[in-house]
Amino acid sequence: VYAGRASSSPIVDLFITLLSMGLNGYKRLLKERTTMLETFPKKLHAIAEKHGERLLVCPSNTISFGVTLDTLARSKNVDETDEEYTKAVGKEISSFGAMLFSRCVSGTRVVPRGELKNIGGQDFHGFGSSTDNYKHAYMTAACAIGVSSREVEEFFVRLDKTLAEFSSKKKKKADNCD
């Protein structure tokens, strides 16, 4: 039987992990995640609000949480077309994701507003988003099974610092252009 290009390694790894943890270990992880879920969205909301953003409410998704990134975008220049502006701001917003990654924050996903990608001759509007024309740039972060409370606290510290640093760099850049 041809398995295609996908590797079975992740499935085998999961299977081995579940067998080694046993049912009690798995239930313990679920309980820890449920406990963290009580505070995760509240803390994420507080950081978002502190930086002029908002938590995106998706009641049916209790794993991944979104935060707008609208304040990270610069104002449109008078001589810039909408397309040029969207592309430039998309790069800037994506650089925030790179900043998070370089600070050892993994698992977040940064989605610029109105991103257009052409892959194999096919245009993808709103690339990376769930919809073609979502009105906000945003990032997602997951409160997944297996993450420790220490890791979550460190994530919040790094996210807060990175948002502040990005805004500071944006302000300095704007001041230098004036």
Side-chain angles (χ1 to χ4, degrees):
V1 174
Y2 177 68
R5 292 185 209 164
S7 170
S8 64
S9 294
I11 302 288
V12 173
D13 288 348
L14 175 64
F15 182 66
I16 291 168
T17 300
L18 291 174
L19 282 177
S20 66
M21 287 181 1
L23 184 60
N24 290 335
Y26 179 68
K27 285 182 177 180
R28 179 184 47 77
L29 287 178
L30 285 175
K31 186 177 180 186
E32 287 172 7
R33 184 192 171 276
T34 302
T35 301
M36 275 189 282
L37 194 55
E38 294 170 8
T39 58
F40 189 90
K42 292 174 188 167
K43 290 180 181 178
L44 191 58
H45 176 266
I47 290 172
E49 201 170 63
K50 175 181 175 182
H51 294 280
E53 302 295 350
R54 67 182 181 89
L55 184 68
L56 298 170
V57 179
C58 302
S60 61
N61 187 344
T62 60
I63 296 172
S64 188
F65 297 88
V67 173
T68 61
L69 296 176
D70 296 332
T71 62
L72 302 187
R74 64 170 171 77
S75 299
K76 184 179 172 192
N77 298 329
V78 290
D79 60 339
E80 221 172 9
T81 67
D82 286 345
E83 188 176 310
E84 291 170 333
Y85 173 70
T86 299
K87 192 172 185 174
V89 168
K91 277 187 169 183
E92 292 169 14
I93 298 292
S94 293
S95 72
F96 173 71
M99 284 177 72
L100 285 171
F101 185 78
S102 70
R103 285 150 182 80
C104 298
V105 176
S106 61
T108 57
R109 188 168 60 95
V110 173
V111 182
R113 187 178 66 79
E115 180 101 13
L116 174 64
K117 290 267 189 199
N118 184 291
I119 302 172
Q122 176 67 46
D123 284 340
F124 292 91
H125 298 274
F127 185 77
S129 182
S130 305
T131 182
D132 287 351
N133 294 309
Y134 193 64
K135 58 187 173 191
H136 302 282
Y138 65 93
M139 65 162 279
T140 61
C143 182
I145 190 169
V147 67
S148 72
S149 58
R150 184 180 45 76
E151 292 168 328
V152 168
E153 288 305 318
E154 186 61 30
F155 161 72
F156 288 130
V157 167
R158 291 180 188 189
L159 175 62
D160 186 34
K161 284 182 181 178
T162 307
L163 281 164
E165 186 179 335
F166 189 92
S167 296
S168 175
K169 284 182 178 182
K170 181 181 131 189
K171 185 178 180 334
K172 283 181 187 175
K173 189 175 180 180
D175 289 346
N176 289 337
C177 290
D178 291 341

